[in-house]
Amino acid sequence: MNPRGPELPPARGPLSAALVGHLRGAGPLPEPTGAEDPYGDDAQLALYLCYELHYRGFAGVPPGAEWDPDLLRLRALLERRFLAALRADTPVHESLDAALGALLVEPADGTGVTRFLCAEGESWQLREYAAQRSLYHLKEADPHAWALPRLWGRAKAAMAAVEYDEFGGGRAERVHARLFADLMRDLDLDAEYGRYLDAAPAEMLAVVNLMSLFGLHRALRGALVGHFAEVEITSSPGSRRLAEALRRTGAGEAAQFFYDEHVEADAVHEQVVRHEVIGGLLEEEPELAADIAFGVDATEYLEDRLARRLLDAWRAGRSALRVPLGQPSAT
């Protein structure tokens, strides 16, 4: 058994309920009906649970569950439906150059989440943002590391260089997941891995699941590189706005430092990813250009869905989480 992983979360429907029961040794695996919304809470939580077995697992779940053939069959079915929905729904640019070019242009009248938080976000909204982003940032760069054995030459060397920075450049205290845990503690959040899984909406689970979907399949290596490019190209300006929001609302130094670190680091990473990772991959496998563009566009599509969820709730003065956070402790 795994005594150190997070606890299994409450279910969000019949599919995830049966899966949680099975992981606890209390019943058979679920039989999806095909009627589940591929973007919905039930399907996205079930897929997240399957994927998390490849990361830290869950308390009380045997490590061997990671490669259980029946669980893998269930995961494959959920993946096919998720990927089919993404291919049908994602607005795709006509070329890779167009997809990347769109990322490089920041509209003066942009209205995204980081712009909202920078201009008018309150402390409780920044805490909500950090809580749900912790589902990725507490394992930051791990999904992208799966690309390394699937690349070679320039692309592999450049990807490894960026990942080395993400993992702290050999210094444990500089690992980006560790820095995000420090940010969470500065915001009076629980930095335990997986702590806010139950609070995160399906839109956030889909964003995280996309990385695992691309990372775990060699056939989707181009899409994973596209996802990586989207993250690195958009990170620096978004991080600058978040650092400003944290300073404006009086957050501590550790919270500010996480995003300040990303402003500088990701400005460099963006150049490396575009010219060396993507350039090197296309030099070896030019036929992957469309897959890279799909990775960029699918990431943008899911991030836009999440942004609508957050901004609709926050502008109405209500929580965007399934389970609202408690108030920060008095200082």
Side-chain angles (χ1 to χ4, degrees):
M1 296 293 180
N2 176 16
R4 300 186 61 185
E7 297 293 328
L8 284 163
R12 303 190 188 182
L15 182 63
S16 55
L19 178 54
V20 168
H22 178 79
L23 292 172
R24 287 177 174 151
L29 278 171
E31 292 289 342
T33 65
E36 297 88 1
D37 177 359
Y39 302 117
D41 275 298
D42 197 21
Q44 285 297 319
L45 178 59
L47 189 54
Y48 184 96
L49 296 177
C50 290
Y51 283 146
E52 196 59 33
L53 298 175
H54 298 287
Y55 294 100
R56 298 195 193 182
F58 293 98
V61 177
E66 177 183 8
W67 298 111
D68 179 89
D70 293 329
L71 273 169
L72 292 176
R73 277 191 286 272
L74 173 64
R75 195 192 88 191
L77 177 59
L78 295 171
E79 286 177 325
R80 285 195 296 271
R81 292 177 179 172
F82 184 35
L83 186 57
L86 286 170
R87 292 198 184 280
D89 299 338
T90 298
V92 178
H93 284 87
E94 61 183 15
S95 69
L96 175 56
D97 285 344
L100 294 174
L103 296 180
L104 292 168
V105 177
E106 281 231 312
D109 58 349
T111 57
V113 171
T114 61
R115 289 178 183 271
F116 172 87
L117 291 172
C118 182
E120 57 186 294
E122 300 178 21
S123 295
W124 67 271
Q125 293 161 335
L126 284 160
R127 293 178 75 240
E128 286 198 353
Y129 183 79
Q132 59 189 303
R133 285 289 182 184
S134 71
L135 296 188
Y136 167 62
H137 282 304
L138 291 180
K139 61 184 176 199
E140 184 170 337
D142 288 352
H144 299 126
W146 276 315
L148 290 172
R150 292 154 184 176
L151 303 175
W152 57 91
R154 284 172 57 204
K156 189 186 195 83
M159 187 84 173
V162 175
E163 288 285 274
Y164 182 68
D165 286 348
E166 300 286 348
F167 292 129
R171 297 170 57 189
E173 73 276 9
R174 300 284 296 193
V175 172
H176 285 188
R178 169 77 174 269
L179 296 180
F180 195 80
D182 294 340
L183 172 149
M184 294 180 74
R185 285 186 282 267
D186 225 352
L187 296 179
D188 203 18
L189 294 168
D190 188 340
E192 180 182 356
Y193 184 88
R195 167 66 177 79
Y196 295 105
L197 173 56
D198 190 36
E203 291 86 351
M204 185 69 231
L205 298 187
V207 166
V208 180
N209 284 339
L210 185 72
M211 299 181 225
S212 299
L213 171 65
F214 289 164
L216 284 166
H217 292 272
R218 187 173 64 84
L220 295 171
R221 63 194 179 280
L224 181 61
V225 167
H227 180 282
F228 193 55
E230 194 279 347
V231 169
E232 297 298 335
I233 291 172
T234 61
S235 175
S236 186
S239 293
R240 182 178 293 106
R241 288 189 284 269
L242 290 169
E244 291 174 4
L246 289 162
R247 274 189 279 275
R248 179 177 57 77
T249 55
E253 290 184 4
Q256 297 172 34
F257 180 77
F258 176 83
Y259 287 112
D260 284 335
E261 171 78 2
H262 281 69
V263 171
E264 182 176 348
D266 289 346
V268 175
H269 292 171
E270 176 256 315
Q271 295 290 322
V272 175
V273 172
R274 282 199 298 125
H275 297 296
E276 297 301 317
V277 179
I278 292 179
L281 181 58
L282 291 178
E283 188 176 79
E284 299 284 351
E285 300 181 277
E287 69 277 9
L288 292 183
D291 287 350
I292 299 171
F294 172 68
V296 170
D297 290 331
T299 304
E300 284 284 288
Y301 173 68
L302 291 181
E303 288 285 0
D304 286 346
R305 292 180 75 253
L306 175 62
R308 287 194 296 273
R309 161 89 184 212
L310 300 182
L311 294 175
D312 286 351
W314 290 344
R315 285 170 175 154
R318 54 183 170 81
S319 172
L321 303 180
R322 296 181 65 255
V323 180
L325 302 175
Q327 293 297 315
S329 59
T331 57

